[in-house]
Amino acid sequence: MTAKQRWENYWYHYKWHTVIALFLVFTLAVGITQCALRPRYDQNAVLYCDRVISDRASEALAEALSRRIADSDGDGTPRFEVYNVAYSSQSKVQQTDFANAQKIMALVSSADYVLYIVDSYGYDRLMLDDNMQLFEACGLPHKEGTAWNWQGSPLQAELAGAGLPEELFFCVRKVAGTAAERNADAAGRAQQALALINALMAE
């Protein structure tokens, strides 16, 4: 057979096998590329408040915190991620609110984030409502040792006008004795989070 005939014979018998294989290779290549290009963060936090906070405001907070942490992964750039799941409980945009409510519950369950930045509403939801008691009593000056309020701090002054609440509480979630203990990195992240809060308090 000629080369053209061999190709036509192959295509006749293996057309769908080839299409599916090419699709799987393309999907795998896209996934690997996305993972490779995704920024790696040295530390992170959840921002959870009873008001809509713009991505611009949460990014400004992330940038300010990036300047206050070490480059723990050694890539030359300290990066801090603020996962913004803030929403207004009074909002009429129910779809967005429901999605963020689901996200915060998933984050609490996963223990991928141990530093929480919350307003009074967020604190009560995660600490007092349903007796969840998410936050560790670790000697912080507010909320019976479980929080530091940034009000009046240099960090708050630096971000004045960014659209963030006047009162924000920085809290560390409990790890020891909870389901979060199954996350191998959670204890180390909790120590990092507490060290960052203490550094912010010392400014």
Side-chain angles (χ1 to χ4, degrees), residues 50-52 87-97:
D50 186 25
R51 59 185 281 182
V52 175
Y87 68 93
S88 171
S89 61
Q90 305 303 315
S91 170
K92 295 181 180 179
V93 188
Q94 295 182 356
Q95 186 173 0
T96 302
D97 296 347

Side-chain angles (χ1 to χ4, degrees), residues 32-70:
I32 291 172
T33 301
Q34 288 179 339
C35 288
L37 296 177
R38 183 182 301 164
R40 288 181 292 182
Y41 297 101
D42 298 283
Q43 286 186 241
N44 56 29
V46 173
L47 177 62
Y48 176 45
C49 304
D50 186 25
R51 59 185 281 182
V52 175
I53 295 177
S54 69
D55 288 338
R56 184 176 179 179
S58 65
E59 287 165 6
L61 176 58
E63 288 173 11
L65 292 173
S66 293
R67 294 191 289 271
R68 292 165 164 84
I69 62 171

